[in-house]
Amino acid sequence: MSDKKSNILKIIDSAIFIFIIIFLLSLSNSIFVNQLGYYGALILILIKAAVTKQNQFSKTGLEFAFIWYILAEILSTIFSKESGASFHNLLKHVLLIPIVYTIAASVSNYKDAKTFFKIYIGGTLITVLIYLYFSFQHYLNNLYGSTESGPSIFQYPITASEILSFTVIFFFAFLVNEKTSIKNKLLLFSGFSLSLMALFSTYKRTGWMGAAFGILIILIMKKQWKILVAGAAVIVVFLLTQKNISEINIYNIESNSLKLSDRRAHV
Protein backbone atom coordinates (compact mmCIF):
# COMPACT_ATOMS: atom_id res chain seq x y z
CA MET A 1 0.00 0.00 0.00
CA SER A 2 1.40 3.40 -0.97
CA ASP A 3 1.98 6.14 1.59
CA LYS A 4 -0.61 8.35 -0.12
CA LYS A 5 -3.26 5.64 0.07
CA SER A 6 -2.34 4.90 3.68
CA ASN A 7 -2.73 8.58 4.62
CA ILE A 8 -6.11 8.72 2.89
CA LEU A 9 -7.30 5.71 4.87
CA LYS A 10 -6.11 7.28 8.13
CA ILE A 11 -8.08 10.44 7.35
CA ILE A 12 -11.15 8.36 6.50
CA ASP A 13 -10.82 6.35 9.75
CA SER A 14 -10.53 9.55 11.79
CA ALA A 15 -13.59 11.02 10.08
CA ILE A 16 -15.57 7.80 10.67
CA PHE A 17 -14.64 7.97 14.36
CA ILE A 18 -15.84 11.59 14.59
CA PHE A 19 -19.16 10.81 12.89
CA ILE A 20 -19.72 7.82 15.19
CA ILE A 21 -19.10 10.06 18.22
CA ILE A 22 -21.64 12.54 16.82
CA PHE A 23 -24.08 9.66 16.35
CA LEU A 24 -23.63 8.37 19.91
CA LEU A 25 -23.81 11.76 21.63
CA SER A 26 -26.97 12.80 19.75
CA LEU A 27 -28.76 9.45 20.01
CA SER A 28 -30.99 10.64 22.86
CA ASN A 29 -31.47 14.30 21.95
CA SER A 30 -31.46 15.13 18.22
CA ILE A 31 -32.82 13.07 15.34
CA PHE A 32 -31.30 15.39 12.71
CA VAL A 33 -27.78 15.41 14.20
CA ASN A 34 -28.06 11.68 14.87
CA GLN A 35 -28.83 10.95 11.22
CA LEU A 36 -25.96 13.21 10.18
CA GLY A 37 -23.56 11.12 12.27
CA TYR A 38 -25.01 7.82 11.07
CA TYR A 39 -25.10 8.54 7.34
CA GLY A 40 -21.76 10.35 7.47
CA ALA A 41 -20.09 7.27 8.98
CA LEU A 42 -21.90 4.90 6.60
CA ILE A 43 -20.89 6.84 3.47
CA LEU A 44 -17.26 7.01 4.62
CA ILE A 45 -17.20 3.26 5.32
CA LEU A 46 -18.47 2.66 1.77
CA ILE A 47 -15.76 4.98 0.42
CA LYS A 48 -13.16 3.05 2.45
CA ALA A 49 -14.46 -0.19 0.96
CA ALA A 50 -14.06 1.27 -2.54
CA VAL A 51 -10.51 2.46 -1.80
CA THR A 52 -9.34 -0.80 -0.23
CA LYS A 53 -11.54 -3.00 -2.46
CA GLN A 54 -12.46 -4.97 0.66
CA ASN A 55 -15.82 -5.62 2.30
CA GLN A 56 -15.92 -3.54 5.49
CA PHE A 57 -19.05 -5.21 6.86
CA SER A 58 -19.30 -8.56 8.63
CA LYS A 59 -22.19 -10.81 9.60
CA THR A 60 -23.81 -10.11 12.96
CA GLY A 61 -26.08 -13.14 13.29
CA LEU A 62 -29.16 -10.97 12.87
CA GLU A 63 -29.47 -11.40 9.10
CA PHE A 64 -32.45 -13.80 9.15
CA ALA A 65 -34.27 -11.62 11.70
CA PHE A 66 -33.78 -8.59 9.46
CA ILE A 67 -34.96 -10.50 6.37
CA TRP A 68 -38.15 -11.66 8.09
CA TYR A 69 -38.75 -8.16 9.43
CA ILE A 70 -38.38 -6.61 5.97
CA LEU A 71 -40.72 -9.23 4.47
CA ALA A 72 -43.30 -8.45 7.17
CA GLU A 73 -43.01 -4.73 6.38
CA ILE A 74 -43.42 -5.41 2.65
CA LEU A 75 -46.55 -7.52 3.23
CA SER A 76 -47.91 -4.82 5.54
CA THR A 77 -47.35 -2.22 2.81
CA ILE A 78 -48.99 -4.36 0.13
CA PHE A 79 -52.17 -4.91 2.16
CA SER A 80 -52.28 -1.51 3.81
CA LYS A 81 -55.14 0.88 3.09
CA GLU A 82 -52.66 3.76 3.45
CA SER A 83 -50.06 2.46 1.01
CA GLY A 84 -48.20 5.78 0.72
CA ALA A 85 -47.67 6.17 4.46
CA SER A 86 -46.88 2.48 4.81
CA PHE A 87 -44.23 2.63 2.08
CA HIS A 88 -42.71 5.70 3.76
CA ASN A 89 -42.43 3.77 7.04
CA LEU A 90 -41.00 0.75 5.21
CA LEU A 91 -38.28 2.84 3.59
CA LYS A 92 -37.49 4.64 6.84
CA HIS A 93 -37.15 1.40 8.81
CA VAL A 94 -35.08 -0.38 6.17
CA LEU A 95 -32.63 2.52 5.99
CA LEU A 96 -32.09 2.23 9.75
CA ILE A 97 -31.05 -1.44 9.67
CA PRO A 98 -27.48 -0.67 8.45
CA ILE A 99 -26.88 1.12 11.79
CA VAL A 100 -26.00 -2.28 13.27
CA TYR A 101 -23.41 -2.97 10.55
CA THR A 102 -22.08 0.60 10.59
CA ILE A 103 -21.32 0.44 14.31
CA ALA A 104 -19.84 -3.06 13.97
CA ALA A 105 -17.60 -1.90 11.11
CA SER A 106 -16.43 1.06 13.19
CA VAL A 107 -15.33 -1.10 16.13
CA SER A 108 -12.00 -2.85 15.62
CA ASN A 109 -11.57 -4.27 19.13
CA TYR A 110 -13.19 -4.68 22.55
CA LYS A 111 -11.54 -1.52 23.87
CA ASP A 112 -13.14 0.59 21.12
CA ALA A 113 -16.52 -0.98 21.89
CA LYS A 114 -16.22 -0.03 25.57
CA THR A 115 -15.17 3.50 24.63
CA PHE A 116 -18.16 3.95 22.31
CA PHE A 117 -20.55 2.59 24.94
CA LYS A 118 -19.19 4.92 27.64
CA ILE A 119 -19.55 7.89 25.29
CA TYR A 120 -23.15 6.89 24.56
CA ILE A 121 -23.98 6.48 28.27
CA GLY A 122 -22.25 9.76 29.19
CA GLY A 123 -24.07 11.71 26.48
CA THR A 124 -27.39 10.17 27.49
CA LEU A 125 -26.89 11.05 31.15
CA ILE A 126 -26.31 14.69 30.22
CA THR A 127 -29.52 14.60 28.20
CA VAL A 128 -31.32 12.98 31.15
CA LEU A 129 -30.24 15.74 33.54
CA ILE A 130 -31.39 18.44 31.12
CA TYR A 131 -34.69 16.65 30.57
CA LEU A 132 -35.30 16.28 34.31
CA TYR A 133 -34.76 20.02 34.80
CA PHE A 134 -37.32 20.94 32.13
CA SER A 135 -39.68 18.22 33.39
CA PHE A 136 -39.62 19.85 36.82
CA GLN A 137 -40.49 23.21 35.24
CA HIS A 138 -43.21 21.41 33.26
CA TYR A 139 -44.63 20.08 36.53
CA LEU A 140 -44.46 23.43 38.33
CA ASN A 141 -46.48 25.04 35.51
CA ASN A 142 -49.17 22.33 35.78
CA LEU A 143 -48.56 21.29 32.17
CA TYR A 144 -48.70 17.54 32.78
CA GLY A 145 -52.41 17.75 33.55
CA SER A 146 -53.25 19.80 30.47
CA THR A 147 -50.93 18.21 27.89
CA GLU A 148 -50.88 14.67 29.37
CA SER A 149 -47.30 14.48 28.16
CA GLY A 150 -43.75 15.34 29.17
CA PRO A 151 -41.87 18.33 27.71
CA SER A 152 -40.72 18.23 24.07
CA ILE A 153 -37.34 19.87 24.48
CA PHE A 154 -35.35 17.54 22.21
CA GLN A 155 -37.89 15.46 20.30
CA TYR A 156 -41.38 14.04 20.70
CA PRO A 157 -41.90 12.70 24.25
CA ILE A 158 -42.96 9.30 22.90
CA THR A 159 -39.66 9.04 20.97
CA ALA A 160 -37.71 10.22 24.01
CA SER A 161 -39.40 7.58 26.19
CA GLU A 162 -38.55 4.78 23.77
CA ILE A 163 -34.89 5.85 23.57
CA LEU A 164 -34.59 6.32 27.34
CA SER A 165 -36.05 2.86 27.92
CA PHE A 166 -32.87 1.36 26.41
CA THR A 167 -30.71 3.39 28.80
CA VAL A 168 -32.77 2.21 31.78
CA ILE A 169 -32.39 -1.41 30.66
CA PHE A 170 -28.62 -1.04 30.13
CA PHE A 171 -28.10 0.43 33.60
CA PHE A 172 -30.29 -2.23 35.21
CA ALA A 173 -28.44 -5.02 33.40
CA PHE A 174 -25.06 -3.73 34.61
CA LEU A 175 -26.44 -3.15 38.11
CA VAL A 176 -27.62 -6.77 38.32
CA ASN A 177 -24.77 -8.49 36.47
CA GLU A 178 -21.63 -6.54 37.26
CA LYS A 179 -19.43 -7.82 40.09
CA THR A 180 -17.72 -4.57 40.93
CA SER A 181 -16.88 -2.23 43.80
CA ILE A 182 -19.43 -0.48 46.00
CA LYS A 183 -18.44 2.83 44.38
CA ASN A 184 -19.24 1.55 40.87
CA LYS A 185 -22.47 -0.02 42.12
CA LEU A 186 -23.53 3.36 43.52
CA LEU A 187 -22.67 5.04 40.21
CA LEU A 188 -24.68 2.46 38.29
CA PHE A 189 -27.61 2.83 40.69
CA SER A 190 -27.47 6.63 40.34
CA GLY A 191 -27.47 6.35 36.54
CA PHE A 192 -30.35 3.87 36.66
CA SER A 193 -32.37 6.07 39.04
CA LEU A 194 -31.85 9.25 36.99
CA SER A 195 -32.69 7.59 33.67
CA LEU A 196 -35.75 5.93 35.24
CA MET A 197 -36.99 9.31 36.57
CA ALA A 198 -36.48 10.85 33.13
CA LEU A 199 -38.39 7.95 31.57
CA PHE A 200 -41.31 8.49 33.95
CA SER A 201 -41.13 12.22 33.20
CA THR A 202 -41.89 11.60 29.51
CA TYR A 203 -45.33 10.44 30.66
CA LYS A 204 -45.53 7.91 27.81
CA ARG A 205 -46.52 4.30 28.40
CA THR A 206 -44.69 2.92 25.36
CA GLY A 207 -41.30 3.61 26.94
CA TRP A 208 -42.51 2.42 30.34
CA MET A 209 -43.73 -0.88 28.91
CA GLY A 210 -40.52 -1.38 26.91
CA ALA A 211 -38.33 -0.79 29.98
CA ALA A 212 -40.53 -3.03 32.15
CA PHE A 213 -40.37 -5.86 29.60
CA GLY A 214 -36.58 -5.52 29.30
CA ILE A 215 -36.15 -5.59 33.09
CA LEU A 216 -38.49 -8.61 33.27
CA ILE A 217 -36.37 -10.53 30.74
CA ILE A 218 -33.17 -9.70 32.66
CA LEU A 219 -34.70 -10.90 35.95
CA ILE A 220 -35.89 -14.14 34.31
CA MET A 221 -32.46 -14.76 32.77
CA LYS A 222 -30.83 -14.13 36.18
CA LYS A 223 -33.49 -16.33 37.87
CA GLN A 224 -34.41 -13.61 40.36
CA TRP A 225 -37.67 -15.32 41.33
CA LYS A 226 -38.06 -13.53 44.69
CA ILE A 227 -37.94 -10.11 43.03
CA LEU A 228 -40.36 -11.28 40.32
CA VAL A 229 -42.88 -12.63 42.83
CA ALA A 230 -42.63 -9.48 44.99
CA GLY A 231 -43.04 -7.25 41.93
CA ALA A 232 -46.05 -9.23 40.71
CA ALA A 233 -47.66 -8.96 44.17
CA VAL A 234 -47.16 -5.17 44.22
CA ILE A 235 -48.73 -4.84 40.74
CA VAL A 236 -51.76 -6.98 41.72
CA VAL A 237 -52.34 -4.97 44.92
CA PHE A 238 -52.01 -1.71 42.97
CA LEU A 239 -54.56 -2.82 40.35
CA LEU A 240 -57.02 -4.04 42.99
CA THR A 241 -56.89 -0.80 44.97
CA GLN A 242 -57.34 1.50 41.98
CA LYS A 243 -60.73 3.08 41.32
CA ASN A 244 -62.16 3.92 37.93
CA ILE A 245 -62.42 7.70 37.96
CA SER A 246 -63.56 9.98 35.15
CA GLU A 247 -62.11 13.45 35.71
CA ILE A 248 -62.65 16.75 33.93
CA ASN A 249 -60.27 19.63 34.60
CA ILE A 250 -61.07 23.20 33.52
CA TYR A 251 -58.18 25.63 33.12
CA ASN A 252 -58.00 29.41 32.65
CA ILE A 253 -55.14 31.20 30.94
CA GLU A 254 -53.82 33.90 33.27
CA SER A 255 -50.56 35.80 32.79
CA ASN A 256 -49.41 33.38 30.07
CA SER A 257 -49.84 30.37 32.35
CA LEU A 258 -52.53 27.75 32.92
CA LYS A 259 -54.39 27.76 36.24
CA LEU A 260 -56.88 25.14 37.35
CA SER A 261 -60.29 26.70 37.91
CA ASP A 262 -62.54 23.68 38.33
CA ARG A 263 -62.20 19.90 38.74
CA ARG A 264 -65.04 17.41 38.43
CA ALA A 265 -64.52 13.73 39.14
CA HIS A 266 -66.94 10.82 38.77
CA VAL A 267 -66.21 7.38 40.27
Side-chain angles (χ1 to χ4, degrees), residues 172-181 184-185 188 222:
F172 184 79
F174 280 110
L175 190 62
V176 172
N177 293 320
E178 285 291 298
K179 294 180 180 179
T180 183
S181 64
N184 287 337
K185 281 285 186 181
L188 289 170
K222 295 295 294 182

Side-chain angles (χ1 to χ4, degrees), residues 9 64 104 120 157 184:
L9 290 176
F64 281 109
Y120 156 70
N184 287 337

